Amino acid sequence: MESSDQYRRKFEIEVVRESLHFSAAHFTIFSSVSRENLHGHNFRVQAVIEAKVGEDGLVFDYSIIKDVLQNHCDALDEKLLLPENSPYLEITKSGGYVQVKFDHEVLPFLPRDVKILPVRNITVEELSEWFISQLQEDSAYKSLPIDRLSIRVASGSGQWGVSTIEHS
């Protein structure tokens, strides 16, 4: 194989670290009148990156991806996650609390315990998309020669949500 052929091929790098996890509470919303009870998971996060290998034998320094993912996992750890874009929730701050109105319920939470995310629901599908959006906003990520990125988020064994973005 000519060396120039090798450098046109795409390679996958899987970013899997024991530390890429967070423990968080949530409730999935099924409709305007149906939701799960508040409960928690030990979520795990992984990335699969597709890119071309350079002449130095590296795709790129993927510690950038690890660091961004780790920072966001740390920010979600030990929080109640609430979906800001849900059509079924009204989230307000009043009287020193984050108040969540759902159907006929009002649930008060301390602000320090809550992380409001710009998603429609707190599901592995939405969380995987949220992690991709966080990477896309990172200036160091923008400079990387990535062809394709997939983020996987698990809420338990065998329950993964995967979001993928293709770069041109």
Side-chain angles (χ1 to χ4, degrees), residues 86-153:
S86 171
Y88 306 123
L89 291 185
E90 181 182 329
I91 303 171
T92 59
K93 294 178 182 175
S94 176
Y97 291 94
V98 174
Q99 293 191 0
V100 178
K101 293 181 183 176
F102 174 78
D103 193 22
H104 295 89
E105 304 171 326
V106 178
L107 304 104
F109 301 101
L110 293 172
R112 72 178 203 175
D113 294 330
V114 173
K115 181 78 172 172
I116 300 170
L117 299 178
V119 297
R120 297 167 293 183
N121 212 338
I122 303 298
T123 60
V124 291
E125 301 92 332
E126 288 284 280
L127 289 172
S128 64
E129 184 67 19
W130 180 80
F131 273 98
I132 278 188
S133 72
Q134 298 307 295
L135 279 165
Q136 288 180 297
E137 291 174 11
D138 186 84
S139 59
Y141 171 84
K142 290 177 184 179
S143 69
L144 298 176
I146 294 175
D147 294 323
R148 183 172 186 239
L149 170 71
S150 294
I151 297 292
R152 299 167 36 98
V153 177

Side-chain angles (χ1 to χ4, degrees), residues 35-107:
R35 70 170 179 88
E36 292 178 315
N37 288 332
L38 182 64
H39 65 283
H41 294 281
N42 292 314
F43 292 92
R44 291 179 287 153
V45 179
Q46 299 177 351
V48 177
I49 303 151
E50 186 177 292
K52 293 173 186 71
V53 70
E55 291 185 19
D56 59 359
L58 294 171
V59 172
F60 55 83
D61 178 3
Y62 47 90
S63 67
I64 293 168
I65 302 289
K66 291 178 191 178
D67 293 344
V68 172
L69 293 177
Q70 187 67 61
N71 289 338
H72 289 295
C73 284
D74 292 346
L76 299 180
D77 196 38
E78 297 184 359
K79 298 292 184 186
L80 165 65
L81 306 181
L82 293 173
E84 180 178 42
N85 299 335
S86 171
Y88 306 123
L89 291 185
E90 181 182 329
I91 303 171
T92 59
K93 294 178 182 175
S94 176
Y97 291 94
V98 174
Q99 293 191 0
V100 178
K101 293 181 183 176
F102 174 78
D103 193 22
H104 295 89
E105 304 171 326
V106 178
L107 304 104

